[in-house]
């Protein structure tokens, strides 16, 4: 009988230690839907989780708008923030409407240069990646035009040629001068690509 009680106590102690190990693990769960970011931090440490969560949300939005950033950038930045707030070695889980370790971004089309494919004012879902191919619609930062949404026409190494879908040419007269109005064609660097449009 005494052996059974000792065995039961050992098993109970092992279960308690295992439970403390799994329960005591700090974790940060980040979810992105393209526009919004939600963060949940689970810890038994005495830290300001509200401030940490707010900092992670702000940082994630910055990453979403940075053409050079990706999911690795996001994870590393979240780890740095956790360390700064005293939450070291936390498990970080990044999830999104596109799946784990993906960064979706909702972008609004401005203009008619992508007609008939995309309409002025339309919202599109972007997957933040530099993994592109000819024919993809991408969002990019152009030195000449600023933020643009165009179709990939050619890829030569890191040089990417972008074109408009709208091939119409029109003419406007401004102060007696006639100007040709047509879609943009431009070259950008691969690092200037913010991501690929995956739903519209």
């Amino acid at each position: 009988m005494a052996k059974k009680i000792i065995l039961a106590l050992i098993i109970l102690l092992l279960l308690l230690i295992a439970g403390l190990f799994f329960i005591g693990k700090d974790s940060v769960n980040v979810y992105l839907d393209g526009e919004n970011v939600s963060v949940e931090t689970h810890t038994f440490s005495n830290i300001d989780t509200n401030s940490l969560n707010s900092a992670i949300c702000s940082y994630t939005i910055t990453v979403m708008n940075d053409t050079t950033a990706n999911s690795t950038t996001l994870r590393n930045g979240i780890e740095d923030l956790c360390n700064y707030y005293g939450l070291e070695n936390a498990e970080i889980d990044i999830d999104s409407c596109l799946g784990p370790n993906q960064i979706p971004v909702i972008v609004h089309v401005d203009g008619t240069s992508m007609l008939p494919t995309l309409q002025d004012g339309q919202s599109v879902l972007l997957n933040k990646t530099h993994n592109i191919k000819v024919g993809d619609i991408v969002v990019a930062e152009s030195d000449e035009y600023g933020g643009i949404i165009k179709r990939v026409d050619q890829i030569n190494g890191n040089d990417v040629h972008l074109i408009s879908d709208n091939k119409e040419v029109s003419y406007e007269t401004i102060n007696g001068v006639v100007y040709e109005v047509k879609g943009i064609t431009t070259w950008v660097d691969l690092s200037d690509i913010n991501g690929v449009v995956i739903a519209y």
Side-chain angles (χ1 to χ4, degrees), residues 175-186:
N175 296 328
V177 179
V178 177
Y179 293 93
E180 182 181 73
V181 180
K182 61 181 180 178
I184 293 171
T185 64
T186 189

Side-chain angles (χ1 to χ4, degrees), residues 39-55:
V39 180
E40 290 181 359
T41 299
H42 302 282
T43 181
F44 288 101
S45 300
N46 186 21
I47 65 165
D48 184 354
T49 56
N50 289 333
S51 294
L52 173 59
N53 291 349
S54 179

Side-chain angles (χ1 to χ4, degrees), residues 97-134:
C97 59
L98 301 178
N101 299 312
Q102 301 294 314
I103 303 177
V105 181
I106 292 180
V107 177
H108 305 286
V109 178
D110 182 15
T112 59
S113 70
M114 287 301 289
L115 289 173
T117 312
L118 303 177
Q119 307 297 313
D120 184 25
Q122 178 179 354
S123 297
V124 298
L125 181 63
L126 177 79
N127 183 14
K128 195 163 177 44
T129 179
H130 290 135
N131 185 15
I132 63 170
K133 62 185 184 306
V134 171

Side-chain angles (χ1 to χ4, degrees), residues 1-12:
M1 179 73 166
K3 288 182 180 179
K4 288 183 180 178
I5 292 173
I6 292 172
L7 183 60
L9 287 174
I10 291 172
I11 291 172
L12 184 61

Side-chain angles (χ1 to χ4, degrees), residues 39-96:
V39 180
E40 290 181 359
T41 299
H42 302 282
T43 181
F44 288 101
S45 300
N46 186 21
I47 65 165
D48 184 354
T49 56
N50 289 333
S51 294
L52 173 59
N53 291 349
S54 179
I56 291 172
C57 282
S58 295
Y59 177 72
T60 302
I61 289 170
T62 300
V63 167
M64 290 168 68
N65 293 314
D66 181 354
T67 58
T68 61
N70 57 29
S71 60
T72 302
T73 310
L74 179 58
R75 181 175 299 282
N76 292 341
I78 292 171
E79 285 178 3
D80 290 345
L81 286 169
C82 288
N83 291 335
Y84 176 80
Y85 279 86
L87 190 66
E88 296 180 6
N89 301 316
E91 287 185 4
I92 298 171
D93 178 46
I94 299 170
D95 199 8
S96 74

